[in-house]
Amino acid sequence: MAVELKSLGAWKRALEEGGMNEYGVKRGKPLSDRNTKIAIFVLPTLFFYLMFMTLTILPWYTGILLAFALFFGMHHIVTRVLLNKSTYTDSVNSTPYFAGIICGSMVWVLFCWFTRLVQQTQSHSFTHFFFAVTVGLCAYNFFRAVTLDPGTCPKPASDGELKSIIEDLASEGRLNGQTFCIQCMARKPLRSKHCRVCDKCVARSDHHCPWVWNCVGSNNHRQFVLFVSTLVIGIILFDYLTYSSQVLQFPPIQQTSRHLALSQGIFAH
């Protein structure tokens, strides 16, 4: 039928979304679903360490190329090995891959801040305190945005309840896509939307964010906004501390020359 209707592309995409190969056989995964999610979440932290060490050890012109190669290798392991997909883009949004990238970035930023910036910029105590508070709020709200229920609309518990909902909406003349979800077979409140990634209706739905591995809705919208706000502030503070550490480590040329001239005059005297 797919050949006769000239819809082989749609047929192959349907098989891919169902986790099957071209013969309709279910694709196997090397790990269980739970271990696959854990591995995908932890993998960016490990690969970030390899990328940063590559950039540290090797010259910049070769370190950048190898760092990009390591990032591609991480993406290949996630999509082609752990998820066993035929492409590099499908089904990535439904996994904790992007949330793992955020978590790995936080881990190594904190490591760099604690081991280097705190010691090199001791005069910026207020900035360090503000950065620590910001990172703490960012991590807390990130965790809450990931774990909180975004506001899932309840599904009918029985066929009788479903029949009652349909009859009530039909009698009111409001049985349409705005008040009833065909996928969930449930009544939809105002400003709710069905998420195809999560396969559920979310009240006051904003969007599905792969960076927090969750939908953003009525229950976690505040946490998501606080996470993004503190993330931006933390990046600005970290960049400022990094710049300050470089200025303290490598002072301006004129100041260095003046100090050298003064030292030479003292020794000559």
Side-chain angles (χ1 to χ4, degrees):
M1 290 178 63
V3 173
E4 293 177 359
L5 296 175
K6 297 181 180 180
S7 57
L8 281 175
W11 169 247
K12 291 180 180 179
R13 287 195 299 271
L15 289 174
E16 181 65 28
E17 290 178 2
M20 294 179 252
N21 58 17
E22 57 182 343
Y23 303 106
V25 180
K26 193 75 174 180
R27 294 178 180 271
K29 295 181 180 179
L31 302 174
S32 62
D33 290 340
R34 178 177 178 273
N35 292 334
T36 298
K37 293 176 182 178
I38 295 175
I40 292 176
F41 186 78
V42 174
L43 203 63
T45 303
L46 302 178
F47 267 84
F48 280 172
Y49 172 76
L50 297 177
M51 285 186 277
F52 294 148
M53 289 303 298
T54 300
L55 292 171
T56 302
I57 296 174
L58 298 177
W60 67 268
Y61 46 86
T62 57
I64 292 177
L65 295 177
L66 289 178
F68 275 111
L70 286 170
F71 187 85
F72 175 77
M74 175 184 67
H75 193 74
H76 179 85
I77 292 175
V78 170
T79 54
R80 297 296 186 89
V81 178
L82 294 176
L83 296 177
N84 197 13
K85 299 295 182 179
S86 59
T87 63
Y88 288 109
T89 56
D90 293 342
S91 301
V92 177
N93 289 342
S94 60
T95 66
Y97 178 51
F98 293 101
I101 292 177
I102 292 291
C103 183
S105 301
M106 288 184 181
V107 168
W108 293 117
V109 164
L110 285 174
F111 177 80
C112 180
W113 170 71
F114 186 75
T115 58
R116 297 185 181 183
L117 297 182
V118 172
Q119 300 176 0
Q120 296 176 2
T121 56
Q122 297 180 357
S123 58
H124 296 73
S125 57
F126 179 76
T127 306
H128 284 295
F129 173 76
F130 195 37
F131 176 77
V133 173
T134 303
V135 172
L137 291 174
C138 181
Y140 173 76
N141 286 285
F142 171 74
F143 175 77
R144 295 289 288 171
V146 172
T147 56
L148 278 178
D149 179 22
T152 306
C153 302
K155 296 182 180 181
S158 62
D159 293 339
E161 184 180 352
L162 174 60
K163 181 181 178 182
S164 176
I165 291 174
I166 295 176
E167 289 177 350
D168 292 342
L169 292 175
S171 62
E172 298 172 1
R174 297 191 300 116
L175 186 59
N176 50 52
Q178 295 181 349
T179 59
F180 187 77
C181 179
I182 300 292
Q183 291 85 355
C184 296
M185 300 298 290
R187 189 168 187 167
K188 292 171 58 177
L190 294 176
R191 294 180 58 191
S192 61
K193 181 181 178 182
H194 182 82
C195 177
R196 295 197 306 170
V197 179
C198 299
D199 194 22
K200 58 187 178 183
C201 287
V202 179
R204 290 169 54 188
S205 174
D206 189 283
H207 68 290
H208 179 87
C209 182
W211 298 103
V212 297
W213 192 34
N214 200 357
C215 284
V216 179
S218 59
N219 290 350
N220 64 347
H221 188 269
R222 180 184 301 175
Q223 286 75 17
F224 177 78
V225 173
L226 289 174
F227 157 65
V228 175
S229 303
T230 52
L231 179 66
V232 174
I233 296 174
I235 291 174
I236 295 174
L237 293 175
F238 183 80
D239 291 342
Y240 172 74
L241 291 173
T242 303
Y243 173 77
S244 301
S245 67
Q246 295 299 316
V247 171
L248 293 175
Q249 188 175 1
F250 303 103
I253 298 177
Q254 294 180 354
Q255 185 177 1
T256 304
S257 302
R258 185 173 56 191
H259 288 171
L260 289 175
L262 181 61
S263 300
Q264 291 176 357
I266 293 175
F267 282 121
H269 180 71

